[in-house]
Amino acid sequence: MKINVKRLNQNFHMQALNEEGNIVEMDGSPEIGGEGKGMRPMQLLLTSLGGCSSIDVLLILKKQKQIVEAFEVTVEGDREKMGDYSLFKTITLHFKIKGNVDSIKAEKAVQLSMEKYCSVAKTLEPTAKITYKITLIN
C-alpha cells in the first residue's frame, strides 16, 4: 500500500493520492492556519473506522442474505491530551440500517466487525474504548 501526500498551497491544504488514483483532501485546523479545504487527519482516522466497519457489516449482511436498502454510520470520538499530542480515548459508532434486516444478524455483523475484522478498530483499540449502537429502520 502506498499513499502520496502533496502540499497544495502555502499553508496546510494537502492532497493524498492512492495507487488507484483516488484523491482525499486534507487541511489543518483553523487554530493553526488551516482554511477548511479538507478533512483534518484525525477526522480521517474516524472516517477510516466508519468506512472499514461499514464494509465489514455490509459484506456480512450480504452473506446472510439480508436486504439492506440504506446504510449509514455516524462516528464520534473524544480525544485526551497526552503531552504534546491528543489520542482518541472514546469512540462511538452508530449504525443505522434500513431494510429487511434481522436484528440478531445485524448485531452479530457489527460485533464481528468490531471484534474480529476491522483493522482500523484493532489499530485504535490499544488507546480508545470503542462502543457501538445499532438502529434498524424497517
Side-chain angles (χ1 to χ4, degrees):
M1 183 181 310
K2 181 179 177 183
I3 304 292
N4 184 60
V5 178
K6 176 174 72 174
R7 185 177 180 197
L8 298 177
N9 67 11
Q10 294 304 308
N11 291 317
F12 305 107
H13 186 206
M14 294 172 277
Q15 183 181 79
L17 177 71
N18 70 5
E19 295 167 304
E20 291 83 20
N22 298 305
I23 295 170
V24 172
E25 294 199 13
M26 297 179 284
D27 203 346
S29 69
E31 293 82 25
I32 65 165
E35 303 171 48
K37 293 184 176 180
M39 285 191 157
R40 296 193 298 272
M42 293 300 278
Q43 292 172 331
L44 284 171
L45 194 52
L46 292 181
T47 301
S48 296
L49 176 60
C52 181
S53 60
S54 293
I55 290 169
D56 292 340
V57 171
L58 288 166
L59 277 171
I60 293 166
L61 291 174
K62 185 176 184 178
K63 288 178 184 175
Q64 295 175 335
K65 309 261 191 267
Q66 300 300 292
I67 309 293
V68 177
E69 296 169 12
F71 183 94
E72 181 180 330
V73 63
T74 302
V75 186
E76 293 185 52
D78 292 313
R79 294 167 66 187
E80 183 177 297
K81 192 86 168 140
M82 309 287 289
D84 292 333
Y85 56 92
S86 297
L87 296 176
F88 284 111
K89 292 313 259 178
T90 61
I91 300 172
T92 303
L93 295 95
H94 183 186
F95 295 89
K96 295 164 226 145
I97 307 168
K98 180 179 180 185
N100 189 9
V101 177
D102 179 85
S103 62
I104 293 169
K105 290 183 178 187
E107 175 68 34
K108 187 65 175 173
V110 173
Q111 179 186 12
L112 282 169
S113 175
M114 294 290 100
E115 295 178 5
K116 185 175 182 180
Y117 296 120
C118 181
S119 300
V120 179
K122 291 300 179 191
T123 300
L124 290 166
E125 256 179 18
T127 60
K129 178 178 174 29
I130 302 172
T131 59
Y132 63 85
K133 59 184 174 178
I134 303 165
T135 300
L136 292 179
I137 305 157
N138 293 330

